[in-house]
Amino acid sequence: MAFMIPIAIMAISAYQKEQANANAAGYNAQVGEINKGRALRDQSRQSQLAMGRSRAAYGASGVQLGTGSPLDVLADAASQSEYDKLKIKFNYDSRINLDRNQEQNYRTSSILSAAGAGAKAYGSSIPMFGSSSGGAAVNTGSVTGSDMDQFSQW
């Protein structure tokens, strides 16, 4: 019964290690969400400033904003701004999903590691052959070629 204590310690240690890794991955996902929000706000702010500067420059030069090239330039700038937002969102979402998947993998691994550590420790404490308490029988005789001939038909 004393061998159960090291088994329990190994299993708990393996479980806690993987849970700590999972918590770190979860934290990374939360930080990613925060950073994504900041990046999107910063990009939106920069885009609005650029659009404002463009409008001011066109207004100062006397060009009418409602027609022709100035309108096309502003429309392109708005399209580029939207593209930048989507690119930022995609990049952050990809990293966040990776962190969340890694978190789930670590949580699953924690259970498997604990079970594996317990099985390994328990398995190493069981005598396999020739024990005096009725272990498995071991044939110490030798195998000759004629004994193996019965398998040659296969």
Side-chain angles (χ1 to χ4, degrees):
M1 193 67 169
F3 69 90
M4 294 300 284
I5 293 172
I7 293 172
I9 291 171
M10 288 177 66
I12 290 169
S13 174
Y15 178 81
Q16 287 178 338
K17 176 188 166 207
E18 295 300 325
Q19 284 294 313
N21 288 338
N23 290 340
Y27 176 78
N28 288 342
Q30 290 174 344
V31 169
E33 288 284 354
I34 293 167
N35 289 340
K36 178 177 84 171
R38 288 179 181 162
L40 287 171
R41 280 192 306 274
D42 289 347
Q43 192 281 332
S44 180
R45 191 174 304 121
Q46 291 298 322
S47 174
Q48 289 172 355
L49 288 172
M51 295 282 285
R53 283 192 296 269
S54 295
R55 285 187 192 114
Y58 283 126
S61 67
V63 175
Q64 292 182 340
L65 293 177
T67 62
S69 290
L71 186 61
D72 293 338
V73 170
L74 291 175
D76 285 345
S79 295
Q80 184 63 40
S81 172
E82 188 62 27
Y83 171 77
D84 289 343
K85 284 182 200 175
L86 292 173
K87 185 170 65 170
I88 288 169
K89 186 176 180 325
F90 175 80
N91 289 340
Y92 275 98
D93 284 345
S94 296
R95 180 61 197 186
I96 290 165
N97 286 334
L98 177 67
D99 287 336
R100 286 192 178 131
N101 288 338
Q102 191 172 24
E103 177 185 15
Q104 186 58 45
N105 289 344
Y106 279 130
R107 294 214 186 280
T108 302
S109 179
S110 69
I111 295 167
L112 297 176
S113 293
K120 181 178 178 183
Y122 183 73
S124 66
S125 68
I126 298 174
M128 294 301 288
F129 299 106
S131 77
S132 60
S133 62
V138 178
N139 181 358
T140 58
S142 63
V143 177
T144 63
S146 62
D147 292 335
M148 295 303 290
D149 288 341
Q150 64 182 335
F151 298 108
S152 65
Q153 64 186 347
W154 300 42

